[in-house]
Amino acid sequence: MLPIFLLILIPFLSLFFFFFCLTTSKSNSKAPKSYPLVGSFFAILANQDRQLQWFSEILLDSPSATFVLRRSYFNRQVFSGNPAVVQHILKSNFHNYGKGEIFRSRLADFLGHGIFNVDGDESWKFQRQVASHEFNTKSLRKFIETVVDTELSDRLIPILSSAAKNGTVLDFQNILQRFAFDNICKIAFGFDPVYLSPSLPQSKFALAFEDSVRISHGRLTASIPFIWKIKKFFNIGSEKRLKMAISEVKEYAMNIVKQKKQKLEQLGEKESLDDDLLSRFLSSGHVDDKFVTDIVISFLIAGRDTTSAALTWYFWLLSQHPEVQSKVVKEIKEHSEVPAYEEVKDLVYVHASLCECMRLYPPVPLDTKEALNDDVLPGGTVVKKGMRVSYFPYAMGRLESLWGSDWAEFKPERWLQKEENSKSWRFVQKDSYHYPVFQAGPRICLGKEMAFLQMKSVVAGVLRSFKVVPAFEREVVEPEYISYLTAKMKGGFPVKIVERGQDEN
């Protein structure tokens, strides 16, 4: 049977690919060729390991900063870096663009019904409403003055001091992830995992969390989705590892939820209400343990991965731009040795340099929504019901039309203006649809101010006393930027820590 089948199949495939050649127009555009039935599948597969850069190249080559990728005959996806499109899907027509079935189904095992895996329904509104109370001025001040300052002085700085003394090479990306993980566990769970300690322990929970993020993201970007579905059905390969990792994460988180409930019952709701995010949700009286666990896992992703990603690329950029680092250190040293909450807020040049870093290396490089109904985007792109529309912060940070001919420069000054009759700088906020690093509209990031306060505290605490010097085994022009739901530096960020002299910028 097989030889007869092949005799029939081979001529058919020959005609099929001959037809591709006839139907494909010649073009100098970087847009991939689209063929009948399979669309641009072959180009997508060929660029599987560099999708972000590839999509960005296509978008930057598009006059409208918008292009349509035909994944198959029935599956098209819009990518855009046009601020008008971003505003349309995130604000003006917000209710027509949700997470969508593809996103929800592929991340459901890990995120469940947490805030990052639900659309703008009652569950989403409830989660934002309860969580918003954790980000008021009083809570932010407490977070900086207790959680972050303690993690800095008692854990991060001693580890860096030891590395400087002994000439140890550290994976700074790993160190920053551990720092952020401890912080978000404290504010989300009221629990300290002590993940950043001198021994740099291998926490089962943290490792399982990392596996869950990485493999779940693999589902989202899979060129042939039915492969992971088959693996899941037979419980083999990556899907078996994902199942085990998620089980570890959820069991660990569920135990913390149960312990917190017991503590609330013993102390009374009034005494513990302002303790942490988990206490707020449990005190709301409207959620069960499983739902609360889903919620907190979502906030763990946001709190651990985004700030550590931004800081990893920030310290690398500073190492490549000593003139910027000198200005950053000068501003830090103009404040007290342990900057208080208000002083951290006043680090204007540091703030601008962090924004500039995230323009070039956003913690979330791409975000995708799904159309609930037919629509037409600004610029005229037709969107059919069920189509995915992605806005692209990574590519937008490289658009000359948005940032000028010097877009490739790391230039904090583009965010600053001199105060009139003064030598001091004033920060100039960019439109959130031109710079959607923290999303925009109803879904704008609740933890934006908290993230900046945490990052500025780390920058001040580290650079006041140390230089962070890259220690790659070979010369690296630019580390590889990859994404597993959030951005990473591929292979980590090996560094040596060097003590900074008293008068040294």
Side-chain angles (χ1 to χ4, degrees):
M1 272 308 283
L2 185 59
I4 296 173
F5 172 73
L6 287 175
L7 286 172
I8 298 171
L9 184 62
I10 290 171
F12 175 76
L13 289 175
S14 299
L15 288 170
F16 190 55
F17 284 104
F18 177 70
F19 183 64
F20 287 170
C21 297
L22 292 178
T23 56
T24 305
S25 59
K26 293 181 180 179
S27 172
N28 293 323
S29 171
K30 293 181 181 178
K33 294 178 181 179
S34 180
Y35 300 115
L37 299 181
V38 295
S40 298
F41 171 79
F42 298 111
I44 294 169
L45 194 62
N47 290 279
Q48 180 72 23
D49 295 332
R50 58 179 303 272
Q51 280 196 2
L52 286 174
Q53 290 76 9
W54 181 55
F55 291 154
S56 184
E57 289 165 6
I58 299 169
L59 188 143
L60 295 177
D61 193 50
S62 169
S64 64
T66 300
F67 73 94
V68 179
L69 180 70
R70 191 180 290 273
R71 291 185 173 275
S72 68
Y73 183 78
F74 300 104
N75 184 355
R76 292 185 300 154
Q77 183 173 354
V78 179
F79 292 85
S80 185
N82 183 337
V85 172
V86 178
Q87 183 169 359
H88 182 80
I89 65 175
L90 293 185
K91 182 183 179 183
S92 307
N93 207 9
F94 168 75
H95 294 292
N96 192 48
Y97 292 94
K99 290 291 184 181
E101 181 57 29
I102 291 176
F103 189 96
R104 286 198 305 270
S105 62
R106 295 185 186 186
L107 294 184
D109 291 333
F110 182 36
L111 297 183
H113 293 91
I115 193 168
F116 297 132
N117 208 39
V118 292
D119 285 322
D121 55 13
E122 291 305 314
S123 174
W124 173 78
K125 292 175 183 176
F126 164 71
Q127 292 182 57
R128 279 189 70 92
Q129 181 182 12
V130 174
S132 65
H133 295 293
E134 196 64 41
F135 302 105
N136 59 39
T137 301
K138 179 182 175 182
S139 294
L140 289 174
R141 183 185 293 272
K142 180 182 177 183
F143 172 66
I144 293 301
E145 293 179 351
T146 58
V147 175
V148 176
D149 285 352
T150 301
E151 188 78 7
L152 267 170
S153 60
D154 294 356
R155 294 179 186 170
L156 181 59
I157 298 303
I159 286 173
L160 298 186
S161 295
S162 176
K165 181 179 179 181
N166 299 318
T168 308
V169 174
L170 298 174
D171 179 355
F172 208 43
Q173 178 168 253
N174 179 260
I175 296 294
L176 292 168
Q177 283 180 334
R178 289 170 180 270
F179 179 90
F181 191 73
D182 280 356
N183 283 340
I184 195 61
C185 279
K186 289 176 188 176
I187 196 167
F189 283 135
F191 168 77
D192 184 3
V194 198
Y195 195 37
L196 182 64
S197 62
S199 63
L200 301 180
Q202 294 297 314
S203 162
K204 286 181 68 178
F205 176 53
L207 292 174
F209 197 86
E210 180 68 25
D211 279 346
S212 299
V213 169
R214 179 176 52 80
I215 301 172
S216 294
H217 180 262
R219 286 180 173 184
L220 275 178
T221 58
S223 298
I224 311 174
F226 71 81
I227 291 179
W228 73 258
K229 293 180 181 180
I230 291 172
K231 287 182 180 179
K232 181 180 180 181
F233 181 81
F234 288 105
N235 192 31
I236 59 174
S238 58
E239 286 296 314
K240 182 178 181 179
R241 294 197 302 275
L242 178 61
K243 184 177 180 180
M244 293 169 62
I246 290 174
S247 175
E248 178 77 33
V249 168
K250 300 227 169 182
E251 181 181 356
Y252 192 90
M254 188 68 78
N255 286 336
I256 294 173
V257 170
K258 289 178 180 177
Q259 291 172 20
K260 177 64 69 174
K261 286 184 75 173
Q262 291 173 358
K263 181 181 176 182
L264 285 170
E265 290 169 0
Q266 292 170 0
L267 297 178
E269 180 181 325
K270 188 174 181 180
E271 289 182 69
S272 305
L273 184 60
D274 292 330
D275 192 17
D276 50 63
L277 189 64
L278 178 56
S279 296
R280 290 188 183 280
F281 278 107
L282 290 173
S283 299
S284 68
H286 299 292
V287 289
D288 60 27
D289 290 3
K290 184 177 181 301
F291 185 37
V292 174
T293 301
D294 289 345
I295 292 169
V296 176
I297 286 172
S298 285
F299 280 96
L300 280 177
I301 289 177
R304 185 199 76 151
D305 289 348
T306 52
T307 55
S308 62
L311 286 169
T312 297
W313 287 99
Y314 181 78
F315 282 104
W316 177 76
L317 277 170
L318 286 188
S319 73
Q320 306 302 300
H321 297 84
E323 73 288 352
V324 175
Q325 182 167 180
S326 179
K327 293 176 184 178
V328 166
V329 174
K330 182 176 183 294
E331 182 180 61
I332 290 168
K333 289 190 172 183
E334 287 171 354
H335 291 77
S336 59
E337 191 161 335
V338 183
Y341 170 78
E342 293 297 335
E343 287 182 293
V344 170
K345 288 183 70 175
D346 289 341
L347 293 172
V348 177
Y349 193 83
V350 173
H351 191 99
S353 60
L354 283 164
C355 288
E356 180 70 347
C357 168
M358 289 186 286
R359 174 181 71 85
L360 293 167
Y361 301 104
V364 181
L366 182 74
D367 192 26
T368 300
K369 310 300 181 188
E370 187 175 303
L372 300 180
N373 297 290
D374 293 353
D375 193 19
V376 178
L377 299 176
T381 302
V382 175
V383 176
K384 295 295 184 182
K385 178 181 178 180
M387 276 179 62
R388 286 181 290 169
V389 180
S390 300
Y391 68 95
F392 206 163
Y394 177 81
M396 292 178 76
R398 287 157 170 75
L399 279 171
E400 185 173 333
S401 59
L402 297 182
W403 301 99
S405 58
D406 63 348
W407 67 263
E409 295 180 31
F410 178 53
K411 187 178 176 182
E413 285 76 11
R414 74 174 80 243
W415 297 82
L416 299 168
Q417 283 184 357
K418 284 285 188 183
E419 292 278 18
E420 192 173 348
N421 301 321
S422 171
K423 291 183 179 180
S424 61
W425 291 104
R426 178 173 65 87
F427 181 78
V428 180
Q429 184 68 52
K430 305 295 183 184
D431 181 275
S432 60
Y433 304 107
H434 286 69
Y435 182 75
V437 168
F438 292 91
Q439 291 214 45
R443 275 194 183 270
I444 195 165
C445 176
L446 287 171
K448 177 180 177 180
E449 187 176 356
M450 177 178 285
F452 271 115
L453 289 169
Q454 182 178 188
M455 289 189 292
K456 287 194 281 187
S457 295
V458 172
V459 170
V462 171
L463 292 182
R464 178 181 295 278
S465 302
F466 305 104
K467 296 177 183 177
V468 178
V469 182
F472 294 101
E473 291 184 0
R474 55 186 176 80
E475 187 175 343
V476 174
V477 176
E478 181 182 18
E480 188 173 346
Y481 177 89
I482 58 174
S483 175
Y484 298 130
L485 297 184
T486 54
K488 296 281 188 298
M489 187 178 287
K490 186 176 182 179
F493 183 29
V495 302
K496 284 191 173 182
I497 305 299
V498 178
E499 289 190 2
R500 191 182 298 278
Q502 285 282 337
D503 302 320
E504 187 179 2
N505 284 346

